């Protein structure tokens, strides 16, 4: 049996260059409008990113581009996502500028010749965060909960996936948005793969697994491919995922869980600018180095008006064969941090081999072993957030 040969990239770009850009008169490829081109088997997709005022002008262009792609040999599915450039009406109108370098005196150490001044970076008032009054929930979604951390490796995706599965186990209609554009993990942790389809409004239809509607960039790009995208491109991709077909008037989504990437950069800012969140759950491990970054994440969301619902301490302890709790990464750190933030400690998730194996196998522990201590902790967390 001969191996399937997908469409040729050069042929794809040539076909798209025969579709005219109504503003420049050039072909779409020459005009630089073919963004994030993805070739996956017989499926071809890209984002057509235009100014908000030009959306209506480019709807017909999108349709012509899909027709042109479908005519290329080897193309079985052609998808063009029409999206707009990132603009936030609530953002300050002042043009961004580089932060000023200022100096401030400090006390010399014993025996040290005192330096006159010390360089510091002053905050740029034009980039200051503030409540995002223009943010909106997706249509037919009742509640949006983001799961965040300032540091990678604390198990935030593990918490997000099992929290979503816990909501589903409690009988709620739940969705999971994997917002980690550069390192998507939801497809693996939920054991689901495939090519999302579009609805009549050109919105992505989420995949489904374990009672959870899930959307991730991992369904769109070639598996194992590094997404080498600058910030605007990643933000554009995220907006397409955010605008997925999460629910209907007859069957609205009860809760949408958002698995955020670590940090406080473009992805987080895109979310708080465009998506109204009912609250944020901060995930940390007990040690101080993780708590430092958790504080940064909490500060960012607090400044944008997204309420902090509480703190989840992951890898809180390991129970040995006798049941004794061994605090491998320390103890009490997340509880103390929650008290400083004035929010509850929502859960202490133990270290379990079964939890790690379930994530690797694409079988959420909550769904496959609900009696385990970790699964019970996730179910209790979901009840608190319902």
């Amino acid at each position: 049996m001969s191996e399937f040969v997908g469409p040729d990239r050069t042929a794809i770009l040539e076909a798209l260059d025969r579709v005219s850009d109504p503003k420049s008169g050039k072909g779409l490829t020459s005009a630089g409008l073919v963004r994030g081109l993805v070739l996956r088997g017989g499926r071809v997709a890209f984002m057509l990113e235009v100014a908000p005022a030009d959306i209506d002008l480019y709807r017909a262009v999108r349709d012509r581009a899909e027709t042109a792609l479908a005519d290329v040999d080897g193309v079985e599915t052609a998808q063009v996502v029409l999206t707009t450039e990132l603009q936030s009406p609530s953002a300050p109108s002042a043009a961004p500028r580089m932060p000023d370098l200022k100096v401030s005196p400090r006390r010399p150490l014993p025996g040290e010749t005192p330096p006159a001044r010390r360089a510091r970076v002053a905050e740029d008032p034009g980039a200051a965060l503030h409540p995002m009054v223009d943010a909106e929930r997706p249509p037919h979604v009742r509640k949006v909960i983001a799961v965040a951390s300032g540091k990678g490796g604390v198990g935030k995706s593990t918490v997000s996936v099992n929290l979503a599965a816990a909501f589903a186990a409690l009988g709620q209609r739940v969705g999971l948005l994997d917002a980690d554009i550069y390192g998507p993990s939801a497809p693996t942790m939920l054991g689901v793969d495939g090519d999302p389809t579009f609805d009549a409004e050109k919105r992505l239809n989420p995949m489904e697994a374990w009672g959870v509607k899930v959307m991730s960039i991992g369904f769109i790009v070639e598996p194992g491919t590094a997404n080498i995208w600058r910030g605007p491109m990643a933000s554009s991709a995220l907006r397409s995922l955010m605008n997925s077909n999460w629910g209907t008037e007859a069957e609205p989504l009860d809760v949408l869980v958002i698995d955020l990437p670590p940090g406080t950069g473009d992805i987080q800012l895109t979310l708080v600018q465009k998506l109204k969140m009912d609250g944020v759950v901060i995930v940390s491990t007990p040690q101080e180095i993780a708590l430092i970054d958790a504080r940064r994440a909490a500060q960012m969301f607090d400044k944008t008006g997204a309420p902090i619902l509480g703190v989840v301490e992951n890898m809180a302890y390991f129970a040995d064969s006798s049941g004794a709790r061994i605090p491998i990464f320390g103890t009490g750190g997340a509880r103390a941090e929650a008290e400083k933030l004035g929010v509850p400690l929502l859960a202490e998730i133990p270290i379990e081999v079964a939890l790690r194996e379930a994530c690797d196998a694409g079988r959420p522990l909550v769904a496959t072993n609900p009696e385990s201590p970790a699964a019970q902790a996730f179910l209790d967390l979901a009840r608190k957030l319902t």
Side-chain angles (χ1 to χ4, degrees):
M1 181 181 295
S2 61
E3 184 178 351
F4 173 78
V5 178
D8 178 70
R9 184 182 184 87
T10 300
I12 291 293
L13 294 175
E14 289 176 349
L16 292 174
D17 217 25
R18 290 192 289 270
V19 178
S20 179
D21 170 23
K23 299 201 75 172
S24 69
K26 300 178 181 179
L28 295 183
T29 304
S30 300
L33 293 176
V34 180
R35 308 291 300 277
L37 180 63
V38 173
L39 306 180
R40 180 168 172 166
R43 178 176 176 272
V44 180
F46 76 93
M47 280 180 283
L48 179 61
E49 188 177 51
V50 301
D54 293 334
I55 280 287
D56 290 337
L57 176 64
Y58 279 86
R59 294 189 194 280
V61 178
R62 175 194 60 198
D63 295 339
R64 290 198 296 271
E66 287 187 343
T67 300
L69 289 176
D71 289 338
V72 177
D73 289 341
V75 174
E76 297 175 350
T77 304
Q79 297 171 334
V80 180
V81 179
L82 179 61
T83 185
T84 62
E85 298 168 352
L86 179 60
Q87 293 186 357
S88 176
S90 60
S93 58
R97 60 180 178 84
M98 293 296 292
D100 296 327
L101 285 177
K102 295 186 177 181
V103 294
S104 60
R106 69 171 175 85
R107 295 180 180 177
L109 298 174
E112 179 186 17
T113 301
R117 293 181 178 274
R118 179 181 180 186
R120 290 185 182 275
V121 178
E123 184 176 347
D124 179 4
L129 293 174
H130 53 91
M132 301 296 176
V133 297
D134 302 307
E136 297 179 347
R137 287 190 192 88
H140 311 303
V141 174
R142 291 172 175 164
K143 182 187 293 186
V144 177
I145 296 175
V147 180
S149 70
K151 176 179 169 54
V154 299
K156 174 182 47 53
S157 294
T158 298
V159 171
S160 299
V161 166
N162 281 278
L163 175 59
F167 279 128
L170 296 177
Q172 297 204 43
R173 295 190 184 99
V174 57
L176 175 64
L177 170 59
D178 183 357
D180 195 339
I181 300 299
Y182 299 107
S185 55
T188 298
M189 288 187 172
L190 286 169
V192 60
D193 192 14
D195 296 329
T197 59
F198 283 86
D199 67 5
E201 299 177 21
K202 296 295 182 179
R203 296 178 302 171
L204 287 161
N205 292 315
M207 309 293 287
E208 293 195 36
W210 307 99
V212 177
K213 290 185 175 183
V214 57
M215 180 50 67
S216 169
I217 198 70
F219 297 136
I220 298 173
V221 300
E222 193 72 28
T225 300
N227 296 335
I228 309 173
W229 294 347
R230 294 187 185 274
M233 189 63 210
S235 296
S236 180
L238 176 62
R239 292 197 301 277
S240 296
L241 302 182
M242 287 166 44
N243 295 329
S244 296
N245 178 23
W246 293 108
T248 65
E249 186 174 358
E251 294 186 348
L253 209 63
D254 293 309
V255 59
L256 174 63
V257 177
I258 304 177
D259 180 16
L260 286 170
T264 55
D266 286 335
I267 298 301
Q268 289 82 358
L269 291 174
T270 296
L271 276 165
V272 297
Q273 286 174 337
K274 296 296 183 182
L275 193 61
K276 182 177 181 179
M277 288 178 282
D278 295 273
V280 181
V281 173
I282 303 295
V283 179
S284 181
T285 49
Q287 68 267 45
E288 178 62 21
I289 191 64
L291 292 167
I292 290 172
D293 292 321
R295 284 175 211 135
R296 295 191 181 104
Q299 289 170 2
M300 186 198 78
F301 287 106
D302 182 62
K303 289 181 179 180
T304 60
I308 306 300
L309 300 176
V311 176
V312 170
E313 184 176 76
N314 194 31
M315 309 181 202
Y317 60 88
F318 174 77
D320 64 14
S321 57
S322 69
R325 295 186 176 189
I326 303 172
I328 295 175
F329 296 112
T331 183
R335 183 177 298 277
E337 193 60 34
E339 291 176 357
K340 290 179 184 177
L341 294 172
V343 298
L345 178 66
L346 294 170
E348 294 175 294
I349 312 297
I351 299 172
E352 285 187 14
V353 173
L355 179 57
R356 191 270 304 165
E357 291 176 340
C359 290
D360 289 347
R363 299 171 57 82
L365 189 69
V366 168
T368 57
N369 188 6
E371 299 304 320
S372 69
Q376 285 295 306
F378 287 122
L379 287 164
D380 185 54
L381 172 61
R383 293 186 188 99
K384 291 176 180 177
L385 296 175
T386 299

